Each structure stands twice: as structure tokens, then as C-alpha cells.
Amino acid sequence: MTTLTEAPETAAARETPARRRRRVDRLPYLLLLPCLVIIGVLLLWPLGQVVVMSFHQLNNVRQLRGDREWPWVGLGNYAEILSDPFFLTVLRNTVLFAVANVALTMVLGTLVGLLLNRLGRRMAAFVASCVMLAWATPALTGTIVWKWIFDDTSGLVTWLFNALPDGLSQSLFGRSDWTGYGWFNSPLLFFSILTLVVVWHSFPFIAVSVLAGLKSVPSELHEAARVDGAGPWKVFWKITFPLLRPVFGILIVLSTIWDFKVFTQQFVLAGGTQDRPTFMLSIYSYAEAFSPPPKYGLGAAIAVILTLILLVVTGLYVRMVLKQEEDA
């Protein structure tokens, strides 16, 4: 006669390995479920709302609160943006700014990472701590400091230029008195200062990431290359760079995403949304949405276009990585 205690044992014994394997395979997905829910609530739902807004004409806060209807315009907002010549100017500014900043950030971050890898343990820890202060500084705080540095009356840069001999300053720059000089009035100067601020804030992350990658490269490879007479330049391009190519690829994609959507630094340096010749996509979206008269649907459409551009960049990188893995 079969007892009650034998039933579970018999069921467990009859469980096939395939069923047991399927049950184990579900465990990672169940563990990821809380994170997916949080991402969905904090990221996907707002993104969906922005997409929905981009297909409506929203010119009033009451519409956002639900007190009034949302007139459907379909692709009208997108057509208005893409047919506006100013959008091409904004897109050009964004692309050129992103390309320049990604290049400068990667070069400077890689050089600092190589330097940290050659320093001793204590000195490397000290230099890395100092470098990471720039990355740990909030973007708003750091930009306010840089704006004071370039202040036209009491800024450090203005003081340094005023300290130059009058004859030298006049011969080099065509003026001797720099008090009241608008460092942010010229688009070229503005983008130069903005690039300085963004690169200063971004390169520490690149440096530490490159340093972490360098620690994984076997030192025997570098030693063997030096024995064969290879210099530092050749060692980097023939050994270090190929081994760290996946790391550099991820860093380039992340830097591109960050530089495409720069907002805080530009908003603070420009003092708002008045300087339209220096607009980029992020601040263009904000200006269209919140500057009177507000056009929330138009601003949402610009944000969707920016998101699609970044998705294309990320997709191209993923495709490149998969192709490299297939070739390998």
C-alpha cells in the first residue's frame, strides 16, 4: 500500500531531465523581472508617452492634465520639423559637436588611462582619485564653475588676458582690454568652451575604463613586443588596441549617446534658450516645448527623432560587433 510520503518522491523521480532543465532556465528571467518592471515604469512608459504626444497638437498645460482633448495631427509635427531649414542647422550643430567631443574625449581618456597604467600603485591611485573628481562633480555644478571662469568681468580667463602686456595682447588678438568681452557671444567660441566643459566632465570615465581594460592585457605580450624592438606607438596599435577593441567600441557608443543629448551644460552656459544659432537637438526640443507659446507635441517629436538617431547609432554598433564575432 502506497503511503502519502511516497507520492512526492515518486513524482520527483518521474520528472524528466528536460522538464527540470526548463524549470531551471526560467529562474534567470524571474530574477530579472523586478528590474524589467522598474525599467518599464521609469523609462519605457515615459518614452511611450512622449511618442503619443508627438502625434498630437498640445499647446496648453490643461491638455497635459487631461482637462482638454488632444487634437490628433498624425505626422504633422514631424513634417513641420523636417521641413524647417532651422532643423538642418540644429542637426548639423549636434553631429559636429558630438563627433568632435567623442574624438577628443576618447583620445584624452585613452592617454590618461595609459599614463595611469604606467604609474606606480600609490601614484596611480592618487591621480585616478583626482581625475575622478571631475566625473563625480554634478554637471550643473561644474558648468557654473566654468561659466565663472569665463565671466566677462571677474572671470579667471578675463583676468589672465588682462594680465598680458598691452603690446603683446594688441599684436596677437587686436585688443588690450578684455573686461566686458563676451566669451559666449560668438558661436565658435561658445562651442569651444562647451566642448572644453563636456570633455573635462567625460574623459575620467574613459580613462578609468581603459585602465581596467589594460589590466586584463597580459604583460608578457608587451614585454615580447619590446624585446622584438617595437616602440610604444607600435605596441599600442598592434597589441593593445586590437585586444581592447570591444572596450573602445562600447565607450564610443556611450560617448556618442551622451554627447548627442548634452543639455545641462549648454543651457547654463547660454543662460537659457535665447541663443538659437548654437541650438542642438536636446535644447531645441526643450525650447519648442516650453518657450511661449508652448508646443509640447512639437518638442516631443524632436525628442523622438533624437531617440531614433541614437537607436540607429547603437544598432550599427551591435551589428558591427556581431559581424566581428562571426568573422572570428
Side-chain angles (χ1 to χ4, degrees), residues 28-316:
Y29 299 101
L30 293 176
L31 295 176
L32 288 173
L33 185 59
C35 295
L36 294 177
V37 172
I38 295 174
I39 292 175
V41 172
L42 298 180
L43 181 62
L44 297 182
W45 184 81
L47 180 60
Q49 288 292 102
V50 171
V51 173
V52 172
M53 291 171 60
S54 68
F55 295 110
H56 294 82
Q57 183 179 359
L58 303 173
N59 301 326
N60 198 298
V61 178
R62 294 182 179 179
Q63 291 177 298
L64 299 181
R65 291 191 305 218
D67 298 338
R68 294 184 179 180
E69 295 183 356
W70 291 18
W72 173 267
V73 295
L75 298 176
N77 289 326
Y78 294 95
E80 181 178 349
I81 294 168
L82 296 177
S83 61
D84 186 1
F86 184 64
F87 172 76
L88 297 179
T89 301
V90 174
L91 183 61
R92 181 203 61 193
N93 292 343
T94 306
V95 172
L96 293 178
F97 176 81
V99 170
N101 276 265
V102 170
L104 292 174
T105 304
M106 291 300 302
V107 170
L108 181 59
T110 301
L111 291 176
V112 175
L114 293 171
L115 173 64
L116 292 174
N117 191 50
R118 295 181 64 88
L119 294 176
R121 180 176 300 180
R122 292 184 178 179
M123 182 58 68
F126 173 75
V127 174
S129 300
C130 296
V131 167
M132 289 303 294
L133 286 177
W135 187 63
T137 303
L140 178 60
T141 306
T143 308
I144 291 174
V145 173
W146 279 104
K147 189 172 184 178
W148 169 80
I149 291 176
F150 285 93
D151 185 78
D152 58 356
T153 56
S154 59
L156 179 61
V157 173
T158 302
W159 177 83
L160 289 174
F161 274 82
N162 280 330
L164 293 175
D166 292 345
L168 178 62
S169 180
Q170 185 69 36
S171 60
L172 291 178
F173 307 107
R175 62 183 302 158
S176 57
D177 184 11
W178 293 88
T179 302
Y181 182 77
W183 296 100
F184 304 103
N185 294 340
S186 167
L188 180 60
L189 277 176
F190 177 84
F191 277 115
S192 300
I193 297 172
L194 181 61
T195 298
L196 176 63
V197 175
V198 173
V199 171
W200 169 82
H201 191 262
S202 303
F203 87 89
F205 176 77
I206 306 298
V208 174
S209 300
V210 171
L211 176 62
L214 290 172
K215 295 299 183 182
S216 65
V217 177
S219 59
E220 293 81 3
L221 297 177
H222 289 165
E223 293 175 359
R226 295 190 187 97
V227 171
D228 292 338
W233 183 260
K234 193 172 184 179
V235 169
F236 175 80
W237 287 110
K238 296 297 183 180
I239 297 178
T240 306
F241 181 76
L243 293 176
L244 297 185
R245 185 172 296 171
V247 176
F248 284 119
I250 294 175
L251 293 176
I252 289 175
V253 171
L254 291 176
S255 298
T256 302
I257 293 174
W258 293 337
D259 293 336
F260 254 89
K261 59 187 187 68
V262 165
F263 174 81
T264 302
Q265 295 92 331
Q266 182 175 15
F267 187 86
V268 174
L269 291 179
T273 59
Q274 296 81 16
D275 194 7
R276 290 179 64 86
T278 61
F279 269 18
M280 293 190 291
L281 285 175
S282 292
I283 201 166
Y284 182 37
S285 174
Y286 174 87
E288 291 294 332
F290 297 103
S291 297
K295 300 176 183 178
Y296 302 113
L298 207 61
I302 298 171
V304 171
I305 292 175
L306 174 59
T307 304
L308 291 176
I309 293 174
L310 297 179
L311 287 176
V312 169
V313 173
T314 306
L316 291 175

